[in-house]
Amino acid sequence: QRSAEGKNFGTILVAEGLLSAIPEFRTLILELNAMPMPSPISEVLPQLTQWSRALFETLPDFIQDELLLERQSNAAVQL
């Protein structure tokens, strides 16, 4: 019924810490943690490994932006 009304969207709730439990994301986060933040994407992408860069580029822009924000007081990526 929703599809017939053109409502082909939804909401996904991701539990805090879930992304860091996925090995590929954990690697990306570790690489990002080694860089000074905030940093522009143009400076970050060349420093990422091939696999982390590919994963980062598949993320929506708003998530990419969030990963490049200034770190929390405990130096963790804001997820």
Side-chain angles (χ1 to χ4, degrees):
Q1 180 180 8
R2 288 176 43 85
S3 180
E5 296 175 10
K7 297 180 180 178
N8 298 317
F9 56 87
T11 301
I12 297 175
L13 298 176
V14 178
E16 184 176 348
L18 179 63
L19 291 180
S20 61
I22 300 170
E24 292 83 359
F25 268 97
R26 187 171 37 245
T27 300
L28 172 61
I29 291 168
L30 287 172
E31 291 181 28
L32 290 173
N33 281 340
M35 300 177 199
M37 292 295 166
S39 293
I41 291 176
S42 60
E43 291 180 16
V44 170
L45 287 179
Q47 297 181 58
L48 294 174
T49 61
Q50 173 186 356
W51 300 107
S52 291
R53 184 173 42 251
L55 173 60
F56 185 86
E57 290 176 331
T58 65
L59 299 172
D61 291 341
F62 70 94
I63 294 178
Q64 290 180 7
D65 293 341
E66 189 168 327
L67 288 172
L68 301 180
L69 292 175
E70 188 172 347
R71 299 291 181 248
Q72 297 176 0
S73 60
N74 62 357
V77 172
Q78 300 180 47
L79 292 178

